Amino acid sequence: MASTDRFRRPHAYEQLLAKLTDKKTGPFATMVEAMMFAAVLGRRKGERKPFEQSDEPIRLALMEGRLYGDVLLDMLAAVEYEDDPKILGDERQADRVLIFEEYANGGLAYLQTVISRQSSQDLDTIISNLVLEGLQHQPEEKKDDVGEILASASLDW
């Protein structure tokens, strides 16, 4: 699969992404940050959802320029294909981008549901609650693969 220099954002959630990045009321400064949060949320909730229709893609360099952006792509792929170390090779970048896109789509779907259920709360509160929930509770039925990978690695910083 060829390398890619962009990632797609799902058309179905363009209005949600616009709300999340609204200059006055949005909790995220950029689409890249909103998509990164959505991908982590999608992974956390086990929501990886393919999509066909997308809006203008975002340059991958914008995510790689963010703190841990390139690491996020690699970690999502490593957890998804834990028995396939080649997923981290340069020739598999398009696969890693697809994994990111699909988890972001799943995270946006989950977030849209939460927003609909908690319509009386503002976006900052909803996002903050999701972050706190993620920090406080491990999913009971699933193990925390990323935590295990990080714990088992002997990193000499």
Side-chain angles (χ1 to χ4, degrees):
M1 196 174 269
S3 177
T4 182
D5 67 342
R6 297 184 182 275
F7 64 91
R8 302 172 302 148
R9 52 185 214 234
H11 175 73
Y13 299 107
E14 276 304 301
Q15 287 183 349
L16 174 58
L17 285 167
K19 286 181 189 177
L20 291 170
T21 59
D22 181 86
K23 300 253 186 258
K24 293 182 182 178
T25 61
F28 298 102
T30 66
M31 289 273 186
V32 173
E33 292 170 359
M35 289 287 289
M36 288 174 65
F37 176 81
V40 171
L41 180 62
R43 171 67 183 125
R44 178 76 176 174
K45 298 299 180 180
E47 298 286 329
R48 182 176 173 191
K49 296 186 176 194
F51 64 97
E52 301 266 333
Q53 194 174 8
S54 64
D55 280 336
E56 186 175 337
I58 298 172
R59 288 180 308 141
L60 193 56
L62 293 174
M63 185 166 65
E64 291 171 342
R66 298 279 189 267
L67 189 60
Y68 303 114
D70 53 344
V71 173
L72 176 60
L73 274 177
D74 292 345
M75 292 302 288
L76 288 171
V79 170
E80 190 72 12
Y81 293 100
E82 60 187 50
D83 294 330
D84 182 9
K86 291 182 181 181
I87 190 68
L88 299 177
D90 289 341
E91 66 281 355
R92 302 276 304 272
Q93 180 183 11
D95 293 333
R96 292 192 305 276
V97 169
L98 180 64
I99 292 165
F100 169 81
E101 292 171 343
E102 290 179 350
Y103 273 126
N105 187 45
L108 289 168
Y110 181 84
L111 183 56
Q112 185 67 63
T113 300
V114 171
I115 290 169
S116 296
R117 288 183 188 155
Q118 300 173 6
S119 59
S120 63
Q121 293 185 337
D122 64 25
L123 281 175
D124 280 335
T125 302
I126 291 171
I127 298 295
S128 295
N129 288 340
L130 288 169
V131 169
L132 287 173
E133 174 188 314
L135 292 172
Q136 293 173 352
H137 303 289
Q138 294 295 322
E140 292 179 22
E141 61 275 348
K142 294 182 181 181
K143 61 184 178 176
D144 182 9
D145 296 327
V146 174
E148 285 185 27
I149 290 171
L150 291 174
S152 68
S154 56
L155 302 174
D156 290 331
W157 298 98

PDB file of all heavy atoms in Angstrom, residues 87-119:
ATOM      1  N   ILE A  87       3.736  -3.660  10.851  1.00  0.00           N
ATOM      2  CA  ILE A  87       2.752  -2.576  10.763  1.00  0.00           C
ATOM      3  C   ILE A  87       3.418  -1.217  11.010  1.00  0.00           C
ATOM      4  O   ILE A  87       2.930  -0.196  10.554  1.00  0.00           O
ATOM      5  CB  ILE A  87       1.566  -2.791  11.741  1.00  0.00           C
ATOM      6  CG1 ILE A  87       0.421  -1.794  11.475  1.00  0.00           C
ATOM      7  CG2 ILE A  87       2.011  -2.672  13.193  1.00  0.00           C
ATOM      8  CD1 ILE A  87      -0.294  -1.991  10.196  1.00  0.00           C
ATOM      9  N   LEU A  88       4.561  -1.225  11.680  1.00  0.00           N
ATOM     10  CA  LEU A  88       5.264   0.025  11.981  1.00  0.00           C
ATOM     11  C   LEU A  88       6.267   0.430  10.904  1.00  0.00           C
ATOM     12  O   LEU A  88       6.906   1.474  11.015  1.00  0.00           O
ATOM     13  CB  LEU A  88       5.960  -0.084  13.337  1.00  0.00           C
ATOM     14  CG  LEU A  88       5.009  -0.319  14.519  1.00  0.00           C
ATOM     15  CD1 LEU A  88       5.802  -0.494  15.796  1.00  0.00           C
ATOM     16  CD2 LEU A  88       3.999   0.790  14.644  1.00  0.00           C
ATOM     17  N   GLY A  89       6.382  -0.387   9.851  1.00  0.00           N
ATOM     18  CA  GLY A  89       7.307  -0.075   8.763  1.00  0.00           C
ATOM     19  C   GLY A  89       6.804   1.061   7.893  1.00  0.00           C
ATOM     20  O   GLY A  89       5.599   1.335   7.808  1.00  0.00           O
ATOM     21  N   ASP A  90       7.739   1.728   7.223  1.00  0.00           N
ATOM     22  CA  ASP A  90       7.385   2.854   6.352  1.00  0.00           C
ATOM     23  C   ASP A  90       6.378   2.455   5.276  1.00  0.00           C
ATOM     24  O   ASP A  90       5.500   3.242   4.921  1.00  0.00           O
ATOM     25  CB  ASP A  90       8.630   3.425   5.682  1.00  0.00           C
ATOM     26  CG  ASP A  90       9.523   4.163   6.656  1.00  0.00           C
ATOM     27  OD1 ASP A  90       9.042   4.546   7.750  1.00  0.00           O
ATOM     28  OD2 ASP A  90      10.712   4.355   6.334  1.00  0.00           O
ATOM     29  N   GLU A  91       6.505   1.239   4.760  1.00  0.00           N
ATOM     30  CA  GLU A  91       5.610   0.789   3.687  1.00  0.00           C
ATOM     31  C   GLU A  91       4.180   0.562   4.172  1.00  0.00           C
ATOM     32  O   GLU A  91       3.274   0.375   3.369  1.00  0.00           O
ATOM     33  CB  GLU A  91       6.161  -0.480   3.023  1.00  0.00           C
ATOM     34  CG  GLU A  91       6.193  -1.707   3.920  1.00  0.00           C
ATOM     35  CD  GLU A  91       7.361  -1.756   4.906  1.00  0.00           C
ATOM     36  OE1 GLU A  91       8.241  -0.882   4.867  1.00  0.00           O
ATOM     37  OE2 GLU A  91       7.362  -2.689   5.726  1.00  0.00           O
ATOM     38  N   ARG A  92       3.952   0.576   5.478  1.00  0.00           N
ATOM     39  CA  ARG A  92       2.609   0.352   6.034  1.00  0.00           C
ATOM     40  C   ARG A  92       1.995   1.622   6.631  1.00  0.00           C
ATOM     41  O   ARG A  92       1.030   1.554   7.381  1.00  0.00           O
ATOM     42  CB  ARG A  92       2.657  -0.748   7.101  1.00  0.00           C
ATOM     43  CG  ARG A  92       3.182  -2.099   6.655  1.00  0.00           C
ATOM     44  CD  ARG A  92       2.168  -2.995   6.004  1.00  0.00           C
ATOM     45  NE  ARG A  92       0.995  -3.283   6.775  1.00  0.00           N
ATOM     46  CZ  ARG A  92       0.864  -4.279   7.655  1.00  0.00           C
ATOM     47  NH1 ARG A  92       1.871  -5.099   7.900  1.00  0.00           N
ATOM     48  NH2 ARG A  92      -0.271  -4.466   8.279  1.00  0.00           N
ATOM     49  N   GLN A  93       2.536   2.769   6.289  1.00  0.00           N
ATOM     50  CA  GLN A  93       2.017   4.025   6.821  1.00  0.00           C
ATOM     51  C   GLN A  93       0.542   4.210   6.470  1.00  0.00           C
ATOM     52  O   GLN A  93      -0.250   4.651   7.304  1.00  0.00           O
ATOM     53  CB  GLN A  93       2.817   5.221   6.323  1.00  0.00           C
ATOM     54  CG  GLN A  93       2.289   6.542   6.874  1.00  0.00           C
ATOM     55  CD  GLN A  93       3.035   7.739   6.336  1.00  0.00           C
ATOM     56  OE1 GLN A  93       3.816   7.634   5.394  1.00  0.00           O
ATOM     57  NE2 GLN A  93       2.805   8.881   6.937  1.00  0.00           N
ATOM     58  N   ALA A  94       0.153   3.878   5.264  1.00  0.00           N
ATOM     59  CA  ALA A  94      -1.252   4.027   4.861  1.00  0.00           C
ATOM     60  C   ALA A  94      -2.174   3.174   5.736  1.00  0.00           C
ATOM     61  O   ALA A  94      -3.290   3.591   6.060  1.00  0.00           O
ATOM     62  CB  ALA A  94      -1.418   3.669   3.386  1.00  0.00           C
ATOM     63  N   ASP A  95      -1.702   1.990   6.132  1.00  0.00           N
ATOM     64  CA  ASP A  95      -2.488   1.147   7.038  1.00  0.00           C
ATOM     65  C   ASP A  95      -2.659   1.826   8.396  1.00  0.00           C
ATOM     66  O   ASP A  95      -3.745   1.804   8.981  1.00  0.00           O
ATOM     67  CB  ASP A  95      -1.815  -0.218   7.239  1.00  0.00           C
ATOM     68  CG  ASP A  95      -1.798  -1.059   5.976  1.00  0.00           C
ATOM     69  OD1 ASP A  95      -2.694  -0.879   5.128  1.00  0.00           O
ATOM     70  OD2 ASP A  95      -0.885  -1.898   5.845  1.00  0.00           O
ATOM     71  N   ARG A  96      -1.589   2.423   8.906  1.00  0.00           N
ATOM     72  CA  ARG A  96      -1.660   3.110  10.198  1.00  0.00           C
ATOM     73  C   ARG A  96      -2.593   4.305  10.128  1.00  0.00           C
ATOM     74  O   ARG A  96      -3.364   4.559  11.056  1.00  0.00           O
ATOM     75  CB  ARG A  96      -0.258   3.539  10.648  1.00  0.00           C
ATOM     76  CG  ARG A  96       0.639   2.372  10.995  1.00  0.00           C
ATOM     77  CD  ARG A  96       1.909   2.797  11.705  1.00  0.00           C
ATOM     78  NE  ARG A  96       2.717   3.781  11.020  1.00  0.00           N
ATOM     79  CZ  ARG A  96       3.610   3.501  10.069  1.00  0.00           C
ATOM     80  NH1 ARG A  96       3.808   2.248   9.680  1.00  0.00           N
ATOM     81  NH2 ARG A  96       4.321   4.461   9.517  1.00  0.00           N
ATOM     82  N   VAL A  97      -2.552   5.033   9.033  1.00  0.00           N
ATOM     83  CA  VAL A  97      -3.438   6.179   8.854  1.00  0.00           C
ATOM     84  C   VAL A  97      -4.896   5.712   8.821  1.00  0.00           C
ATOM     85  O   VAL A  97      -5.767   6.327   9.446  1.00  0.00           O
ATOM     86  CB  VAL A  97      -3.066   6.982   7.585  1.00  0.00           C
ATOM     87  CG1 VAL A  97      -4.135   8.003   7.242  1.00  0.00           C
ATOM     88  CG2 VAL A  97      -1.713   7.652   7.763  1.00  0.00           C
ATOM     89  N   LEU A  98      -5.171   4.624   8.126  1.00  0.00           N
ATOM     90  CA  LEU A  98      -6.530   4.088   8.062  1.00  0.00           C
ATOM     91  C   LEU A  98      -7.040   3.692   9.451  1.00  0.00           C
ATOM     92  O   LEU A  98      -8.179   3.985   9.807  1.00  0.00           O
ATOM     93  CB  LEU A  98      -6.601   2.894   7.112  1.00  0.00           C
ATOM     94  CG  LEU A  98      -7.986   2.254   6.964  1.00  0.00           C
ATOM     95  CD1 LEU A  98      -8.971   3.224   6.331  1.00  0.00           C
ATOM     96  CD2 LEU A  98      -7.882   0.971   6.155  1.00  0.00           C
ATOM     97  N   ILE A  99      -6.201   3.054  10.237  1.00  0.00           N
ATOM     98  CA  ILE A  99      -6.578   2.674  11.599  1.00  0.00           C
ATOM     99  C   ILE A  99      -6.940   3.925  12.395  1.00  0.00           C
ATOM    100  O   ILE A  99      -7.973   3.976  13.076  1.00  0.00           O
ATOM    101  CB  ILE A  99      -5.438   1.886  12.285  1.00  0.00           C
ATOM    102  CG1 ILE A  99      -5.267   0.526  11.602  1.00  0.00           C
ATOM    103  CG2 ILE A  99      -5.702   1.722  13.785  1.00  0.00           C
ATOM    104  CD1 ILE A  99      -3.954  -0.173  11.949  1.00  0.00           C
ATOM    105  N   PHE A 100      -6.105   4.946  12.294  1.00  0.00           N
ATOM    106  CA  PHE A 100      -6.368   6.213  12.980  1.00  0.00           C
ATOM    107  C   PHE A 100      -7.702   6.807  12.533  1.00  0.00           C
ATOM    108  O   PHE A 100      -8.527   7.207  13.361  1.00  0.00           O
ATOM    109  CB  PHE A 100      -5.229   7.205  12.722  1.00  0.00           C
ATOM    110  CG  PHE A 100      -5.536   8.601  13.175  1.00  0.00           C
ATOM    111  CD1 PHE A 100      -5.404   8.953  14.508  1.00  0.00           C
ATOM    112  CD2 PHE A 100      -5.977   9.553  12.273  1.00  0.00           C
ATOM    113  CE1 PHE A 100      -5.702  10.239  14.930  1.00  0.00           C
ATOM    114  CE2 PHE A 100      -6.275  10.838  12.687  1.00  0.00           C
ATOM    115  CZ  PHE A 100      -6.131  11.188  14.019  1.00  0.00           C
ATOM    116  N   GLU A 101      -7.916   6.876  11.222  1.00  0.00           N
ATOM    117  CA  GLU A 101      -9.151   7.453  10.687  1.00  0.00           C
ATOM    118  C   GLU A 101     -10.384   6.725  11.207  1.00  0.00           C
ATOM    119  O   GLU A 101     -11.383   7.354  11.591  1.00  0.00           O
ATOM    120  CB  GLU A 101      -9.154   7.379   9.155  1.00  0.00           C
ATOM    121  CG  GLU A 101      -8.152   8.267   8.479  1.00  0.00           C
ATOM    122  CD  GLU A 101      -8.044   7.988   6.984  1.00  0.00           C
ATOM    123  OE1 GLU A 101      -8.498   6.912   6.504  1.00  0.00           O
ATOM    124  OE2 GLU A 101      -7.496   8.844   6.283  1.00  0.00           O
ATOM    125  N   GLU A 102     -10.327   5.399  11.210  1.00  0.00           N
ATOM    126  CA  GLU A 102     -11.489   4.609  11.616  1.00  0.00           C
ATOM    127  C   GLU A 102     -11.745   4.716  13.112  1.00  0.00           C
ATOM    128  O   GLU A 102     -12.893   4.759  13.538  1.00  0.00           O
ATOM    129  CB  GLU A 102     -11.323   3.166  11.162  1.00  0.00           C
ATOM    130  CG  GLU A 102     -11.421   3.038   9.656  1.00  0.00           C
ATOM    131  CD  GLU A 102     -11.247   1.635   9.122  1.00  0.00           C
ATOM    132  OE1 GLU A 102     -10.863   0.724   9.896  1.00  0.00           O
ATOM    133  OE2 GLU A 102     -11.492   1.439   7.918  1.00  0.00           O
ATOM    134  N   TYR A 103     -10.703   4.772  13.920  1.00  0.00           N
ATOM    135  CA  TYR A 103     -10.914   4.992  15.354  1.00  0.00           C
ATOM    136  C   TYR A 103     -11.438   6.403  15.607  1.00  0.00           C
ATOM    137  O   TYR A 103     -12.295   6.606  16.472  1.00  0.00           O
ATOM    138  CB  TYR A 103      -9.652   4.729  16.164  1.00  0.00           C
ATOM    139  CG  TYR A 103      -9.501   3.284  16.563  1.00  0.00           C
ATOM    140  CD1 TYR A 103      -8.352   2.581  16.258  1.00  0.00           C
ATOM    141  CD2 TYR A 103     -10.514   2.611  17.253  1.00  0.00           C
ATOM    142  CE1 TYR A 103      -8.210   1.251  16.629  1.00  0.00           C
ATOM    143  CE2 TYR A 103     -10.383   1.291  17.618  1.00  0.00           C
ATOM    144  CZ  TYR A 103      -9.228   0.615  17.305  1.00  0.00           C
ATOM    145  OH  TYR A 103      -9.104  -0.699  17.673  1.00  0.00           O
ATOM    146  N   ALA A 104     -10.948   7.384  14.877  1.00  0.00           N
ATOM    147  CA  ALA A 104     -11.462   8.748  15.021  1.00  0.00           C
ATOM    148  C   ALA A 104     -12.935   8.801  14.653  1.00  0.00           C
ATOM    149  O   ALA A 104     -13.740   9.434  15.355  1.00  0.00           O
ATOM    150  CB  ALA A 104     -10.649   9.722  14.161  1.00  0.00           C
ATOM    151  N   ASN A 105     -13.316   8.116  13.588  1.00  0.00           N
ATOM    152  CA  ASN A 105     -14.719   8.066  13.191  1.00  0.00           C
ATOM    153  C   ASN A 105     -15.565   7.422  14.290  1.00  0.00           C
ATOM    154  O   ASN A 105     -16.633   7.923  14.650  1.00  0.00           O
ATOM    155  CB  ASN A 105     -14.869   7.300  11.873  1.00  0.00           C
ATOM    156  CG  ASN A 105     -16.270   7.354  11.316  1.00  0.00           C
ATOM    157  OD1 ASN A 105     -16.906   8.400  11.279  1.00  0.00           O
ATOM    158  ND2 ASN A 105     -16.759   6.214  10.859  1.00  0.00           N
ATOM    159  N   GLY A 106     -15.088   6.324  14.850  1.00  0.00           N
ATOM    160  CA  GLY A 106     -15.796   5.671  15.941  1.00  0.00           C
ATOM    161  C   GLY A 106     -15.884   6.550  17.177  1.00  0.00           C
ATOM    162  O   GLY A 106     -16.916   6.599  17.851  1.00  0.00           O
ATOM    163  N   GLY A 107     -14.818   7.269  17.475  1.00  0.00           N
ATOM    164  CA  GLY A 107     -14.820   8.184  18.615  1.00  0.00           C
ATOM    165  C   GLY A 107     -15.780   9.340  18.412  1.00  0.00           C
ATOM    166  O   GLY A 107     -16.472   9.759  19.344  1.00  0.00           O
ATOM    167  N   LEU A 108     -15.841   9.862  17.202  1.00  0.00           N
ATOM    168  CA  LEU A 108     -16.785  10.940  16.904  1.00  0.00           C
ATOM    169  C   LEU A 108     -18.230  10.447  17.021  1.00  0.00           C
ATOM    170  O   LEU A 108     -19.096  11.164  17.532  1.00  0.00           O
ATOM    171  CB  LEU A 108     -16.518  11.522  15.519  1.00  0.00           C
ATOM    172  CG  LEU A 108     -15.228  12.343  15.398  1.00  0.00           C
ATOM    173  CD1 LEU A 108     -14.902  12.612  13.933  1.00  0.00           C
ATOM    174  CD2 LEU A 108     -15.330  13.638  16.192  1.00  0.00           C
ATOM    175  N   ALA A 109     -18.479   9.218  16.570  1.00  0.00           N
ATOM    176  CA  ALA A 109     -19.828   8.640  16.699  1.00  0.00           C
ATOM    177  C   ALA A 109     -20.199   8.513  18.171  1.00  0.00           C
ATOM    178  O   ALA A 109     -21.318   8.871  18.573  1.00  0.00           O
ATOM    179  CB  ALA A 109     -19.879   7.275  16.009  1.00  0.00           C
ATOM    180  N   TYR A 110     -19.269   8.016  18.979  1.00  0.00           N
ATOM    181  CA  TYR A 110     -19.525   7.873  20.414  1.00  0.00           C
ATOM    182  C   TYR A 110     -19.757   9.245  21.051  1.00  0.00           C
ATOM    183  O   TYR A 110     -20.704   9.444  21.817  1.00  0.00           O
ATOM    184  CB  TYR A 110     -18.355   7.163  21.093  1.00  0.00           C
ATOM    185  CG  TYR A 110     -18.577   6.970  22.559  1.00  0.00           C
ATOM    186  CD1 TYR A 110     -19.297   5.880  23.036  1.00  0.00           C
ATOM    187  CD2 TYR A 110     -18.086   7.887  23.484  1.00  0.00           C
ATOM    188  CE1 TYR A 110     -19.523   5.709  24.393  1.00  0.00           C
ATOM    189  CE2 TYR A 110     -18.313   7.721  24.834  1.00  0.00           C
ATOM    190  CZ  TYR A 110     -19.024   6.633  25.283  1.00  0.00           C
ATOM    191  OH  TYR A 110     -19.254   6.476  26.630  1.00  0.00           O
ATOM    192  N   LEU A 111     -18.907  10.214  20.713  1.00  0.00           N
ATOM    193  CA  LEU A 111     -19.029  11.560  21.262  1.00  0.00           C
ATOM    194  C   LEU A 111     -20.359  12.198  20.878  1.00  0.00           C
ATOM    195  O   LEU A 111     -21.016  12.838  21.705  1.00  0.00           O
ATOM    196  CB  LEU A 111     -17.857  12.420  20.790  1.00  0.00           C
ATOM    197  CG  LEU A 111     -17.788  13.839  21.321  1.00  0.00           C
ATOM    198  CD1 LEU A 111     -17.783  13.866  22.844  1.00  0.00           C
ATOM    199  CD2 LEU A 111     -16.552  14.542  20.769  1.00  0.00           C
ATOM    200  N   GLN A 112     -20.795  11.996  19.645  1.00  0.00           N
ATOM    201  CA  GLN A 112     -22.079  12.549  19.203  1.00  0.00           C
ATOM    202  C   GLN A 112     -23.216  11.980  20.042  1.00  0.00           C
ATOM    203  O   GLN A 112     -24.140  12.708  20.427  1.00  0.00           O
ATOM    204  CB  GLN A 112     -22.319  12.241  17.719  1.00  0.00           C
ATOM    205  CG  GLN A 112     -23.577  12.880  17.161  1.00  0.00           C
ATOM    206  CD  GLN A 112     -23.465  14.385  17.111  1.00  0.00           C
ATOM    207  OE1 GLN A 112     -22.616  14.924  16.411  1.00  0.00           O
ATOM    208  NE2 GLN A 112     -24.292  15.083  17.848  1.00  0.00           N
ATOM    209  N   THR A 113     -23.153  10.693  20.360  1.00  0.00           N
ATOM    210  CA  THR A 113     -24.169  10.056  21.194  1.00  0.00           C
ATOM    211  C   THR A 113     -24.165  10.657  22.597  1.00  0.00           C
ATOM    212  O   THR A 113     -25.219  10.963  23.155  1.00  0.00           O
ATOM    213  CB  THR A 113     -23.928   8.533  21.266  1.00  0.00           C
ATOM    214  OG1 THR A 113     -23.992   8.012  19.942  1.00  0.00           O
ATOM    215  CG2 THR A 113     -24.960   7.845  22.132  1.00  0.00           C
ATOM    216  N   VAL A 114     -22.984  10.838  23.164  1.00  0.00           N
ATOM    217  CA  VAL A 114     -22.875  11.428  24.508  1.00  0.00           C
ATOM    218  C   VAL A 114     -23.430  12.840  24.511  1.00  0.00           C
ATOM    219  O   VAL A 114     -24.178  13.223  25.423  1.00  0.00           O
ATOM    220  CB  VAL A 114     -21.406  11.405  24.998  1.00  0.00           C
ATOM    221  CG1 VAL A 114     -21.244  12.196  26.284  1.00  0.00           C
ATOM    222  CG2 VAL A 114     -20.932   9.979  25.186  1.00  0.00           C
ATOM    223  N   ILE A 115     -23.100  13.618  23.508  1.00  0.00           N
ATOM    224  CA  ILE A 115     -23.588  14.996  23.420  1.00  0.00           C
ATOM    225  C   ILE A 115     -25.107  15.015  23.313  1.00  0.00           C
ATOM    226  O   ILE A 115     -25.773  15.831  23.962  1.00  0.00           O
ATOM    227  CB  ILE A 115     -22.934  15.736  22.231  1.00  0.00           C
ATOM    228  CG1 ILE A 115     -21.455  15.975  22.526  1.00  0.00           C
ATOM    229  CG2 ILE A 115     -23.646  17.051  21.937  1.00  0.00           C
ATOM    230  CD1 ILE A 115     -20.653  16.465  21.334  1.00  0.00           C
ATOM    231  N   SER A 116     -25.670  14.109  22.540  1.00  0.00           N
ATOM    232  CA  SER A 116     -27.123  14.040  22.398  1.00  0.00           C
ATOM    233  C   SER A 116     -27.793  13.693  23.721  1.00  0.00           C
ATOM    234  O   SER A 116     -28.852  14.239  24.058  1.00  0.00           O
ATOM    235  CB  SER A 116     -27.512  13.006  21.343  1.00  0.00           C
ATOM    236  OG  SER A 116     -27.041  13.402  20.086  1.00  0.00           O
ATOM    237  N   ARG A 117     -27.188  12.781  24.478  1.00  0.00           N
ATOM    238  CA  ARG A 117     -27.752  12.368  25.768  1.00  0.00           C
ATOM    239  C   ARG A 117     -27.590  13.436  26.840  1.00  0.00           C
ATOM    240  O   ARG A 117     -28.394  13.517  27.759  1.00  0.00           O
ATOM    241  CB  ARG A 117     -27.085  11.083  26.247  1.00  0.00           C
ATOM    242  CG  ARG A 117     -27.479   9.876  25.466  1.00  0.00           C
ATOM    243  CD  ARG A 117     -26.834   8.646  26.054  1.00  0.00           C
ATOM    244  NE  ARG A 117     -27.046   7.507  25.199  1.00  0.00           N
ATOM    245  CZ  ARG A 117     -26.271   6.442  25.158  1.00  0.00           C
ATOM    246  NH1 ARG A 117     -25.211   6.369  25.953  1.00  0.00           N
ATOM    247  NH2 ARG A 117     -26.527   5.452  24.340  1.00  0.00           N
ATOM    248  N   GLN A 118     -26.527  14.204  26.747  1.00  0.00           N
ATOM    249  CA  GLN A 118     -26.227  15.199  27.772  1.00  0.00           C
ATOM    250  C   GLN A 118     -26.308  16.607  27.184  1.00  0.00           C
ATOM    251  O   GLN A 118     -25.436  17.439  27.397  1.00  0.00           O
ATOM    252  CB  GLN A 118     -24.837  14.941  28.350  1.00  0.00           C
ATOM    253  CG  GLN A 118     -24.691  13.588  28.979  1.00  0.00           C
ATOM    254  CD  GLN A 118     -23.267  13.284  29.400  1.00  0.00           C
ATOM    255  OE1 GLN A 118     -22.369  14.116  29.325  1.00  0.00           O
ATOM    256  NE2 GLN A 118     -23.045  12.064  29.851  1.00  0.00           N
ATOM    257  N   SER A 119     -27.376  16.878  26.480  1.00  0.00           N
ATOM    258  CA  SER A 119     -27.502  18.130  25.734  1.00  0.00           C
ATOM    259  C   SER A 119     -27.521  19.366  26.632  1.00  0.00           C
ATOM    260  O   SER A 119     -27.283  20.474  26.157  1.00  0.00           O
ATOM    261  CB  SER A 119     -28.748  18.100  24.856  1.00  0.00           C
ATOM    262  OG  SER A 119     -29.903  17.907  25.655  1.00  0.00           O
TER     263      SER A 119
END
